């Protein structure tokens, strides 16, 4: 499994909440288990206590994205380092279920966790995945959607560091809103110009 894959754990958890809309989908053990994926054995360890613990980790991960989005590079790194220290993992070489054309294992790095509970396991993987993404691509590749009131987290993997929205839907919505705002401004300017011209004619 590619290490970059693990960074999505952080995004999935952060985006279970939309603060500006007052929405929170992380309200049950089932919701916690869904974050791991249907085939994950780690999900089976989840219990009612993990709902509260997951929310706590979610707040800390969102703080990392918020700091990065605001250009507070050192703060983002410090916040992420605190998670890495609290939730460590053991990197291991793995080749399970991956074979090349000759039937030999396709060796890759795998993050093995040995947690006392489901939250610790998920947090460890999410934090390490995010750390790999940050050090590989830069802090400015961690963002929050600019399509208010969304503010979902995203990882920018574009070639020119141009991503600003969490999804195509939000990008379209923002573009439509910007287009309508420009049209309103043009209409207001046109009306103002007409009023000015009428005033000038009346004065003459």
């Amino acid at each position: 499994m590619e290490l970059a894959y693990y960074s999505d754990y952080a995004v999935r958890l952060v985006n279970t909440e939309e603060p500006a809309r007052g929405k929170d989908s992380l309200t049950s053990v089932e919701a916690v288990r869904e974050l791991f994926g249907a085939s994950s054995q780690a999900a089976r360890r989840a219990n009612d206590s993990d709902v509260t613990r997951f929310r706590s980790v979610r707040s800390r991960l969102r703080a990392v994205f918020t700091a990065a989005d605001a250009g507070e590079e050192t703060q983002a790194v410090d916040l992420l380092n605190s998670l890495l220290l609290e939730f460590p993992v053991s990197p291991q070489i793995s080749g399970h279920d991956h074979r090349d054309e000759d039937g030999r294992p396709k060796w890759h790095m795998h993050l093995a966790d040995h947690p006392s509970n489901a939250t610790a396991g998920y947090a460890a993987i999410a934090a390490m995945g995010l750390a790999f993404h940050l050090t590989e691509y830069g802090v400015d590749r961690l963002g929050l959607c600019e399509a208010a009131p969304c503010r979902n987290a995203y990882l920018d993997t574009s070639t020119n560091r141009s991503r600003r929205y969490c999804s195509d839907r939000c990008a379209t919505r923002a573009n439509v809103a910007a287009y309508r705002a420009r049209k309103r401004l043009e209409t207001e300017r046109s009306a103002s110009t007409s009023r000015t011209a009428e005033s000038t004619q009346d004065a003459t």
Side-chain angles (χ1 to χ4, degrees):
M1 186 178 293
E2 294 294 333
L3 292 175
Y5 165 85
Y6 291 112
S7 58
D8 288 333
Y9 275 61
V11 173
R12 287 204 301 270
L13 177 53
V14 170
N15 291 345
T16 59
E17 181 184 32
E18 295 181 71
R21 291 189 172 117
K23 293 183 179 180
D24 187 348
S25 62
L26 192 58
T27 58
S28 65
V29 178
E30 289 70 27
V32 168
R33 289 172 178 160
E34 286 178 6
L35 286 168
F36 284 94
S39 61
S40 174
Q41 294 183 352
R44 299 171 189 170
R45 295 195 297 264
N47 57 47
D48 289 333
S49 298
D50 285 299
V51 177
T52 301
R53 288 194 289 254
F54 260 70
R55 286 178 170 177
S56 176
V57 172
R58 178 180 65 189
S59 295
R60 295 171 66 182
L61 285 170
R62 177 171 281 279
V64 175
F65 278 92
T66 300
D69 189 65
E72 299 292 340
E73 186 169 337
T74 301
Q75 183 183 4
V77 170
D78 288 344
L79 290 169
L80 188 50
N81 273 334
S82 69
L83 283 164
L84 292 170
L85 288 170
E86 186 173 345
F87 302 106
V89 295
S90 302
Q92 294 179 353
I93 299 174
S94 175
H96 58 79
D97 300 330
H98 296 277
R99 301 280 172 173
D100 62 19
E101 295 177 354
D102 298 322
R104 294 174 301 189
K106 282 182 149 183
W107 301 113
H108 58 275
M109 291 299 296
H110 177 80
L111 299 183
D113 60 283
H114 310 286
S116 56
N117 56 66
T119 304
Y122 193 98
I125 291 173
M128 184 61 76
L130 200 56
F132 276 114
H133 190 93
L134 185 152
T135 54
E136 179 71 19
Y137 300 106
V139 177
D140 59 341
R141 293 299 188 122
L142 279 59
L144 293 174
C145 186
E146 291 185 3
C150 179
R151 302 302 282 168
N152 271 350
Y154 66 83
L155 298 171
D156 185 3
T157 55
S158 63
T159 56
N160 57 354
R161 301 173 182 263
S162 61
R163 186 170 179 179
R164 296 293 179 268
Y165 308 102
C166 68
S167 64
D168 289 340
R169 179 181 179 182
C170 276
T172 299
R173 183 160 54 86
N175 289 334
V176 169
Y179 172 78
R180 289 175 177 170
R182 286 195 302 271
K183 282 298 183 182
R184 282 196 302 271
L185 183 60
E186 289 173 4
T187 301
E188 291 170 0
R189 285 176 176 172
S190 178
S192 177
T193 300
S194 297
R195 287 194 296 270
T196 300
E198 290 173 0
S199 298
T200 301
Q201 289 178 353
D202 292 341
T204 59

